[in-house]
Amino acid sequence: MLLKKKAWTLGLAISAALSASPAAWGQMLDEPIKPLPAKLNLDARKVNLGKSLFHDKRLSKDNSLSCASCHDIAAGGVDGKQFAVGIKGQVGPINTPTVLNSGLNFRQFWDGRAATLEEQAAGPVHNPGEMGSNWQEVLAKLSQDKAFVERFKGVYPDGLQPRNIQDAIATFERSLNTPSRFDRYLLGEGMALQEDEKQGYQLFKNYGCVACHQGQGVGGNMYQTFGVLGNYFKDKGKVTDADLGRYAVTKNEADRHVFKVPSLRNVELTAPYFHDGSAKTLDEAVEVMFRYQLGRSAPAADKALIVKFLKTLTGEKGMQ
């Protein structure tokens, strides 16, 4: 009788789990990484308008670059270059972070200088080394496009305004979540991952990678010093202003070489890696993390399994 009661109780638990929401699944499994939300509550009109703006080269001074020029959504939300390239071929000082899943980041830019996606959207437009423009110039160009002006009026009561451009772009960027096979695994679909990928995830946890790469974004939710257990910048040499990290924003010595931890979602697609684009391959990036962040070595087989796990974080839905 007792065995029957236990079986009945287990059956109820399994039934409840199978019908649980994604958030509930993450809690039940008590995993450091949580599945992406199944649905986003976003205004479709703003998403569509923001998508148009994201691909609009009129946001740059010479009409040569759009947001998508550096953040190619079909290629992992990056440009594949070591450093971003702005108008007139200007090579920037830092690697382009992915725009995919950027709505999950607690701050924006490597140094966290923007608190929101709206604030971030204005940065490249005004940066002389990126798009090199300003809102006055952008508004002058867009206001000549009657169809575009009408689209703004249909979405925002006050029409075409800088804050509405920022809001629309940010809303579009928040729509760029990329659920992966790993999310399906977290939600109970055990066959979504192969055994070696599951082993890689377990090693990712056992070695302590999840201390920084956790939550829905598998990162993007905290700051960390680059070189916790090894002097990365001494070994690198030729330290630049871009290597200062948060210090460039706060002027607090404790923030020197501190950066926003990047999301590892779609990491298979976002080479080269780190703020300085110094790691050309994912295997090389994992090696650097073991040396400078974990302060330990690991068998090559373990690192290879971790890389296999990381590739399960590549989004399955079609890129826009």
Side-chain angles (χ1 to χ4, degrees):
M1 186 70 178
L2 181 59
L3 288 175
K4 286 184 178 180
K5 184 175 181 181
K6 285 184 176 180
W8 179 76
T9 303
L10 179 60
L12 285 179
I14 292 174
S15 177
L18 290 173
S19 61
S21 67
W25 256 109
Q27 293 170 358
M28 288 177 188
L29 295 174
D30 194 29
E31 295 289 351
I33 300 174
K34 305 301 182 186
L36 290 177
K39 185 178 181 180
L40 296 173
N41 185 25
L42 299 172
D43 186 327
R45 300 172 306 161
K46 290 184 178 182
V47 171
N48 290 330
L49 182 58
K51 181 178 180 180
S52 295
L53 289 163
F54 190 86
H55 292 85
D56 198 322
K57 294 182 178 181
R58 290 175 294 185
L59 269 63
S60 64
K61 189 176 189 66
D62 61 2
N63 302 318
S64 65
L65 296 177
S66 70
C67 303
S69 298
C70 290
H71 299 283
D72 185 347
I73 296 170
V78 296
D79 55 13
K81 300 179 175 68
Q82 181 175 14
F83 301 119
V85 178
I87 59 172
K88 300 178 181 178
Q90 297 177 86
V91 178
I94 204 161
N95 183 256
T96 300
T98 181
V99 71
L100 301 180
N101 305 290
S102 57
L104 303 174
N105 294 337
F106 85 120
R107 303 281 294 193
Q108 305 298 329
F109 295 115
W110 283 102
D111 58 13
R113 63 184 181 274
T116 65
L117 281 172
E118 287 81 359
E119 184 180 351
Q120 185 278 329
V125 173
H126 294 82
N127 189 324
E130 295 184 47
M131 299 174 107
S133 190
N134 57 66
W135 289 134
Q136 184 177 0
E137 291 182 358
V138 171
L139 290 176
K141 287 186 279 188
L142 296 183
S143 62
Q144 296 176 26
D145 186 334
K146 293 183 179 180
F148 218 59
V149 171
E150 288 303 312
R151 288 182 67 187
F152 265 92
K153 288 181 179 178
V155 178
Y156 298 98
D158 55 348
L160 180 60
Q161 300 290 340
R163 62 178 173 273
N164 296 337
I165 294 174
Q166 292 170 252
D167 181 72
I169 292 174
T171 303
F172 169 64
E173 291 174 340
R174 289 192 179 96
S175 76
L176 299 175
N177 281 7
T178 59
S180 68
R181 284 194 294 126
F182 185 68
D183 291 285
R184 291 195 279 118
Y185 173 73
L186 288 177
L187 294 172
E189 190 179 330
M191 298 298 290
L193 297 191
Q194 298 175 2
E195 285 305 313
D196 54 358
E197 294 167 338
K198 294 176 185 177
Q199 292 175 34
Y201 177 45
Q202 191 60 51
L203 289 168
F204 187 80
K205 292 188 287 185
N206 292 349
Y207 278 113
C209 309
V210 291
C212 293
H213 294 286
Q214 55 184 257
Q216 289 183 324
V218 199
N221 59 346
M222 66 176 71
Y223 294 121
Q224 184 56 276
T225 300
F226 194 177
V228 176
L229 294 171
N231 196 328
Y232 173 83
F233 294 97
K234 179 181 178 181
D235 293 344
K236 170 189 173 181
K238 297 182 180 179
V239 175
T240 69
D241 287 344
D243 293 325
L244 297 177
R246 286 287 293 162
Y247 176 82
V249 179
T250 67
K251 305 305 178 185
N252 184 338
E253 189 58 36
D255 287 332
R256 188 178 293 273
H257 307 318
V258 171
F259 297 86
K260 182 189 69 182
V261 174
S263 167
L264 294 184
R265 287 190 176 273
N266 301 293
V267 69
E268 177 184 13
L269 308 176
T270 59
Y273 302 102
F274 310 134
H275 74 284
D276 57 5
S278 58
K280 294 181 175 61
T281 67
L282 191 50
D283 297 86
E284 185 180 345
V286 169
E287 181 66 38
V288 170
M289 288 292 97
F290 265 96
R291 180 177 180 182
Y292 292 101
Q293 298 306 106
L294 299 176
R296 62 189 299 180
S297 60
D302 283 4
K303 288 181 281 191
L305 287 171
I306 289 174
V307 169
K308 285 190 175 184
F309 155 66
L310 292 174
K311 291 180 178 180
T312 72
L313 298 171
T314 301
E316 293 185 303
K317 85 173 189 178
M319 302 301 181
Q320 303 180 48

